[in-house]
Structures are given as C-alpha cells and as structure tokens.
Amino acid sequence: MIPAQDTLFLSVHAREVLHFDVPLFGRVATSIGSLSSGGILSLCGKQDDVLPEAYQAAAIICAADDPRLDVLKAQNRIPLIVVERDAIFSDGDVITISPRGRIHRLFRALSRNNALLVTEDCNNLCVMCPQPPKPESAARHAVNEQRIVQTLDLIDDLHFPDSLCLTGGEPTMLGDGLIRIVEKIKNRAPRTLIHLLTNGRALCDTTYTQRLACAGGDQLLAGIPLFGHVADIHDYVVQRQGAFEQTMAGLLNCFRYGIDVELRIVLQKDTVQHLTALAEFIAHNLFFVKHVALMGMENMGFARLNRDRVFIDPWDYRDELSQAINLFALYGVDVRVFNLPLCVVNSDTRRYCAQSISDFKNVWHPQCARCRKREICCGFFNSTTEKFFLTHHIRPFTAE
C-alpha cells in the first residue's frame, strides 16, 4: 500500500530539545503575524526567511537542516525543538510537547477529520474493535476533560471545524464530564456539528440522556452501533450480556429527547450473515434514525487478533450489502457505505459509498494509480497490508 498523500504526522519525536524542562501545550503559528502570546512558532518549511523576532513565543520548532539553526541554538531564552524536515505543522494546530521531545497533535487545523479522544476506557469489548480499550481511573477522566477543554480554548475562530468528533473508547465513561465537554463545544461554536461516537448503553439512563440533549441541542449527532436484530448477536459481538437491551433503550431515549442518531453497522462475519434481518428490524422499529452507516472493518486491534473469527472479504458479501441497501431505500431510510472501495461492491451500491477514511489513515493499493474513479473512492485503511488484506478483488476502473 502507498499513502494517499502527505498525511502530516499526528505525532513525531524531536531530534533534539534545548532550554526545555516542562511540558508545553499551545497553538502553532507559522509566522510572527499569527503568533499569539504563549504560542509555539514553527519555522519548518520557511528556511529561506529572515529569522523573526520571536520573544513572545513559548517555544520554537525548527528543522534539523535549517541554516538558521546555529543562531537559534545560541539564544538561551526560548525552548527550541529540532525536528526532521518532513515534520510539518500548520497555523492553528494545537499540540503538546513533552520535555523529552514527543510532539503530539491534538487538533489539526487543515484537516476535515478532527476528533477529540475523550477516553480509552470502554464498557464493551467488541470482537473487532480496532482500538482495544484501556481502563482508566476517575482521576484520569478528569485529566482528559481538562485537556479537551484546553484544546477547545486554543482553537481559533478561523479554524474551528464545521464538524467535531468525540470518540473513545466510550465517551460516556466520563459521565458528567462528557456533558460539560458537549456544552463547551456548543457555547464555543454554535454552528459546529458535535458527532458523538458512543455505544449508547449509558443513554438508557433517562436523566443522563435528557441532560446530554440539553447540553448539545440540535448540534448533537450520536453515532451508535447496532450489530444484530436480536440480543444474542449484538451481545456476542460486543461481549457484554444485556448490551442490546441497554442500547435499544438508549436509542429510544435519543428519539424521546431529540438527539439525532446515526446507526453504525460494522460489516464482519457475524453481522453480514444477518444483515438483511437487521435492515428489516431497523426499518420497522427505528424509523427515527437520521441515517444508517454500513462500515467496512478496520484491520487493527481485536479485528487483527480475531481475524479468523471476524474477517470476510467484502467481495463475498457484496450481494447481501445490495439487498440491505435496497431494503433501506424501500422504507425511506437514508443509508451510506463507509470504508469500502468502489471496485469491491456491486454497481447499484456505488452511489451510496462515501469517502469516509480519515486522511491520516488513508492509503491506496498500487493498482489504484491507474483507476479513473480514485478521486471519488475512499481507498483503504493504512492497516491494510499483504498479510492483513481487505480483499483479493481490487479491479481498477480503467474505461468508461
């Protein structure tokens, strides 16, 4: 697989740090004109410019081959972080820098795919989870909330996104902390869609759901997975008895209190074999959902560990996918297909496919270079390899 583009690292490690002994958290500026007090000045990509007066910068990031590096090292006031040339930062990025030189990007100003990781904790243990949960304490949840609030404060008005995803783990594990984060986003950016990815189980609590709805208003969209039309299937996939009942109650509470719902179905062995029955169940019982997302599986985490149990080539379920989509269309349910390349689905499915893979995860197969539909195709997850392939049926579109 080859990258779709320069993915601009989410995290990098500095080659060298000087005059630096406490962690930094700040907004990146690429010029003195956009530098706010306490901001972090990035000189990467501007090696021919005159060295600016950067007295108000909290730190300076500079490429290792920058001809101005010796001058920067000679000053002993401002922390200096030396990185490789390809470590690119943009105006408006929000980053953290550890004293050991680990730079982590929390918000990428030029991306359409920004997500805030609320927690890595989760009360499900899905057999195909690409990011297995890591238990966290209440104290850690408080730290996570504070980090997200600080990040939101640092995003400038120019770069605040039209849509912002809250993901995990399971964000509702923060309890009231999640409600405060949602309220913060609504107050900070009243036009931004708040896309909350949750398993929906905590939403069976009527009071909690009502408070969450009040916090998010009409900006809130809950992305909730449903993996089966009966408890046995759903509870097996999420590895939690009683989860189906809680999730269904959560969905009904969302309807009751006006939270828009995106139902998410990950396409793997257990869900594919009952996909038509699940589509009928949704169409008959969950008519209020905003749309249904049928999602190709990401080969990471438990999906990789349990590959023999969960993997199925999309080519082998393309007919089942068409049948489910036709059912949704018949009942007027909006449906989209995520994470599946156009060449592995039936022709009647292609118009439902979305370019859904986040830019920093997106790669292409070498054969895609000659495909005339590449610009409208989602490509592949970067976890796709020769060993952990998605499909053996890549067929570039080369003619009308």
Side-chain angles (χ1 to χ4, degrees), residues 107-114 161 359-360:
F107 176 81
R108 182 178 165 200
L110 297 183
S111 177
R112 296 180 297 110
N113 304 119
N114 274 292
D359 49 11
F360 60 89

Side-chain angles (χ1 to χ4, degrees), residues 26-31 34 40 89-95 105-110 114 151 154-156 158-160:
R27 183 169 67 224
V28 172
T30 57
S31 68
S34 60
I40 298 168
F89 301 93
S90 302
D91 247 12
D93 286 356
V94 178
I95 64 174
R105 190 195 320 268
L106 302 177
F107 176 81
R108 182 178 165 200
L110 297 183
N114 274 292
T151 300
L154 285 170
I155 302 172
D156 58 53
L158 177 64
H159 294 110
F160 214 99

Side-chain angles (χ1 to χ4, degrees), residues 47 224 278 308-309 348:
Q47 298 187 18
I224 299 176
L278 178 54
D308 290 343
R309 292 167 58 189
D348 62 350

Side-chain angles (χ1 to χ4, degrees), residues 185-205:
I185 298 172
K186 185 181 73 169
N187 293 336
R188 174 69 177 78
R191 292 185 179 85
T192 291
L193 174 70
I194 306 168
H195 193 186
L196 172 64
L197 301 187
T198 170
N199 60 38
R201 291 176 58 191
L203 304 185
C204 70
D205 183 322

